[in-house]
């Protein structure tokens, strides 16, 4: 079992505080150095639009300034973690209003991004085709299942959508899946049940474990590629059991520790191969975010030398 040295931990934090976006800097300080919720909220506000939704490259692989359901779901992941703050509650209410306005009746959910995404630098998988969908939209639950989870968690704020019907639809979709194609769809369902644990039952739990088993990469030689890591499905010891063995989690933690001992940041395992003038900026933003995520995993599992 490998532990991250204090020196490497401080170097990774320093990398974030020097090179990452203001948002990741504020979150890092909040998690590890008595930073404030107010700093996170201030940084997040820079990505919010008048309609209550979020854009401006919050999801760094598309640089659309306009609001999108996908970028807004990313914002909600952060806001939900600090929703005891009145200011966070205010933004949550605005974002829920955006979700109501951007609901797609025909889909009974949300399209990840609007077609305007094509007018700005983006990774190819975000390109919206002539039929109005991107490749992301091949899997309904990403981000619709996650968004419905937020509507359910803050149901009193929702006035224009039938939350109960959408919850039923979301769970029905999950249970209908036999072959899971998208780890991101599973992540969205995991977030749904993390914030609404009373809706988890034995059948749903078994289905999620089946999805994880089909998707998770358990061989270390694959982890340098763009694959779903064990720790992405079980980011802390308190996360629900998803069928990944303890030894696999321990090996994944060792792998992350080894990376951060060599260099103080985690690089993205993907490239755009387009918009070569913008990709370096997006890559640096991802490095800040991925390094923060890695430190959260290592900290949660007690893998930092005290």
């Amino acid at each position: 079992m490998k532990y991250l040295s204090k020196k490497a931990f401080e170097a990774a934090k320093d990398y974030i505080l020097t090179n990452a976006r203001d948002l990741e800097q504020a979150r890092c300080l909040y998690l590890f150095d008595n930073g404030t919720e107010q700093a996170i909220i201030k940084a997040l506000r820079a990505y919010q639009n008048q309609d209550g939704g979020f854009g401006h490259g919050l999801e760094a692989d598309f640089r659309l300034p306009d609001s999108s359901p996908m970028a807004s779901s990313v914002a909600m992941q952060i806001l939900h973690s600090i929703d005891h703050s009145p200011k966070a509650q205010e933004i949550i209410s605005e974002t829920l209003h955006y979700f109501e306005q951007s609901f797609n009746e025909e889909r009974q959910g949300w399209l990840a991004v609007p077609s305007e995404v094509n007018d700005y630098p983006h990774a190819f998988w975000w390109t919206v085709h002539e039929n109005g969908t991107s490749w992301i939209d091949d899997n309904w639950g990403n981000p619709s299942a996650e968004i419905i989870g937020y509507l359910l968690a803050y149901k009193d704020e929702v006035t224009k959508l039938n939350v109960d019907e959408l919850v039923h639809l979301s769970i029905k979709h999950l249970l209908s899946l036999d072959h899971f194609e998208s780890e991101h769809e599973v992540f969205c369902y995991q977030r749904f049940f993390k914030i609404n644990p009373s809706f988890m039952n034995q059948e749903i739990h078994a289905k999620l474990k089946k999805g994880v088993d089909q998707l998770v990469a358990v061989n270390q030689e694959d982890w340098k590629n763009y694959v779903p890591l064990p720790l992405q499905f079980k980011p802390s010891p308190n996360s629900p059991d998803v069928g990944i063995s303890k030894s696999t989690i321990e090996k994944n933690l060792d792998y992350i520790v080894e990376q951060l001992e060599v260099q103080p940041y985690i690089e993205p395992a993907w490239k755009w191969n387009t918009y070569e003038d913008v990709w370096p900026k997006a890559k640096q933003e991802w490095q800040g975010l991925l390094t923060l995520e890695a430190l959260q995993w290592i900290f949660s599992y007690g893998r930092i030398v005290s």
Side-chain angles (χ1 to χ4, degrees), residues 96-97 100-101 154-163:
L96 293 172
H97 176 73
E100 290 191 284
Q101 298 299 321
Y154 306 107
K155 192 175 177 182
D156 292 346
E157 299 276 349
V158 182
T159 60
K160 295 181 179 178
L161 294 174
N162 188 321
V163 176

Side-chain angles (χ1 to χ4, degrees), residues 229 231-232 235 253 256 293-302:
L229 301 174
L231 284 164
Q232 289 179 287
L253 286 163
I256 299 295
E293 182 179 49
L295 290 184
Q296 287 178 273
W297 292 338
I298 293 170
F299 180 79
S300 294
Y301 279 94

Side-chain angles (χ1 to χ4, degrees), residues 159-277:
T159 60
K160 295 181 179 178
L161 294 174
N162 188 321
V163 176
D164 294 334
E165 278 188 11
L166 290 172
V167 169
H168 174 75
L169 177 68
S170 183
I171 291 174
K172 181 181 178 182
H173 173 76
L174 172 64
L175 294 177
S176 74
L177 294 172
D178 276 322
H179 178 67
F180 288 79
E181 298 178 341
S182 166
E183 65 269 25
H184 294 286
E185 186 169 42
V186 174
F187 297 152
C188 287
Y189 273 104
Q190 285 189 291
R191 294 184 194 110
F192 176 105
F193 292 109
K194 180 181 179 181
I195 60 180
N196 300 289
S198 66
F199 282 76
M200 176 71 80
N201 62 33
Q202 195 170 354
E203 184 183 16
I204 290 168
H205 190 204
K207 184 65 75 168
L208 284 172
K209 287 173 78 171
K210 180 178 182 178
V212 172
D213 182 62
Q214 289 180 14
L215 293 163
V216 65
V218 296
N219 297 317
Q220 180 168 333
E221 57 265 31
D222 295 329
W223 292 342
K224 66 181 180 295
N225 303 318
Y226 182 66
V227 295
L229 301 174
L231 284 164
Q232 289 179 287
F233 293 109
K234 191 168 173 60
S236 78
N238 298 324
S239 303
D241 168 43
V242 285
I244 301 174
S245 70
K246 184 178 178 181
S247 64
T248 298
I249 293 293
E250 299 292 0
K251 288 176 185 174
N252 201 194
L253 286 163
D254 286 348
Y255 176 79
I256 299 295
V257 168
E258 288 170 3
Q259 283 191 288
L260 288 174
E261 288 289 351
V262 172
Q263 63 183 24
Y265 56 88
I266 302 294
E267 294 187 61
W270 66 92
K271 295 178 180 178
W272 287 6
N273 296 321
T274 55
Y275 299 102
E276 297 293 343
D277 56 328

Side-chain angles (χ1 to χ4, degrees), residues 10-299:
E10 293 297 334
K13 279 201 309 179
D14 185 61
Y15 177 85
I16 294 168
L17 297 176
T18 305
N19 299 284
R21 302 183 297 189
D22 290 351
L23 179 57
E24 279 71 54
Q25 291 184 29
R27 292 175 63 205
C28 182
L29 290 170
Y30 181 73
L31 289 166
F32 301 117
D33 284 319
N34 298 313
T36 65
E37 295 156 356
Q38 288 73 22
I40 295 175
I41 290 165
K42 180 182 178 182
L44 203 49
R45 278 283 196 196
Y47 298 92
Q48 192 178 24
N49 289 310
Q50 288 282 329
D51 60 8
F54 286 78
H56 304 281
L58 178 58
E59 208 292 355
D61 278 338
F62 61 88
R63 315 305 288 190
L64 174 71
D66 302 346
S67 298
S68 68
M70 184 62 73
S72 301
S73 72
V74 172
M76 285 294 290
Q77 292 166 25
I78 300 167
L79 290 163
H80 178 73
S81 70
I82 54 172
D83 69 355
H84 50 272
S85 159
K87 281 290 185 185
Q89 290 173 11
E90 182 181 315
I91 305 176
I92 287 169
S93 180
E94 295 165 358
T95 310
L96 293 172
H97 176 73
Y98 166 74
F99 286 140
E100 290 191 284
Q101 298 299 321
S102 57
F103 180 72
N104 185 301
E105 286 283 352
E106 183 181 353
R107 188 173 178 80
Q108 284 297 287
W110 290 261
L111 294 170
V113 291
S115 60
E116 288 81 6
V117 77
N118 294 348
D119 299 330
Y120 299 89
H122 62 278
F124 71 86
W125 49 90
W126 290 108
T127 298
V128 173
H129 311 304
E130 288 185 9
N131 67 358
T133 69
S134 67
W135 280 292
I136 306 302
D137 297 313
D138 289 350
N139 304 103
W140 178 90
N142 179 24
S144 292
E146 180 176 344
I147 292 171
I148 291 166
Y150 298 127
L151 297 179
L152 178 59
Y154 306 107
K155 192 175 177 182
D156 292 346
E157 299 276 349
V158 182
T159 60
K160 295 181 179 178
L161 294 174
N162 188 321
V163 176
D164 294 334
E165 278 188 11
L166 290 172
V167 169
H168 174 75
L169 177 68
S170 183
I171 291 174
K172 181 181 178 182
H173 173 76
L174 172 64
L175 294 177
S176 74
L177 294 172
D178 276 322
H179 178 67
F180 288 79
E181 298 178 341
S182 166
E183 65 269 25
H184 294 286
E185 186 169 42
V186 174
F187 297 152
C188 287
Y189 273 104
Q190 285 189 291
R191 294 184 194 110
F192 176 105
F193 292 109
K194 180 181 179 181
I195 60 180
N196 300 289
S198 66
F199 282 76
M200 176 71 80
N201 62 33
Q202 195 170 354
E203 184 183 16
I204 290 168
H205 190 204
K207 184 65 75 168
L208 284 172
K209 287 173 78 171
K210 180 178 182 178
V212 172
D213 182 62
Q214 289 180 14
L215 293 163
V216 65
V218 296
N219 297 317
Q220 180 168 333
E221 57 265 31
D222 295 329
W223 292 342
K224 66 181 180 295
N225 303 318
Y226 182 66
V227 295
L229 301 174
L231 284 164
Q232 289 179 287
F233 293 109
K234 191 168 173 60
S236 78
N238 298 324
S239 303
D241 168 43
V242 285
I244 301 174
S245 70
K246 184 178 178 181
S247 64
T248 298
I249 293 293
E250 299 292 0
K251 288 176 185 174
N252 201 194
L253 286 163
D254 286 348
Y255 176 79
I256 299 295
V257 168
E258 288 170 3
Q259 283 191 288
L260 288 174
E261 288 289 351
V262 172
Q263 63 183 24
Y265 56 88
I266 302 294
E267 294 187 61
W270 66 92
K271 295 178 180 178
W272 287 6
N273 296 321
T274 55
Y275 299 102
E276 297 293 343
D277 56 328
V278 180
W279 165 242
K281 177 176 170 60
K283 180 183 179 183
Q284 181 168 319
E285 292 175 0
W286 275 116
Q287 285 176 181
L289 199 151
L290 294 172
T291 304
L292 179 62
E293 182 179 49
L295 290 184
Q296 287 178 273
W297 292 338
I298 293 170
F299 180 79

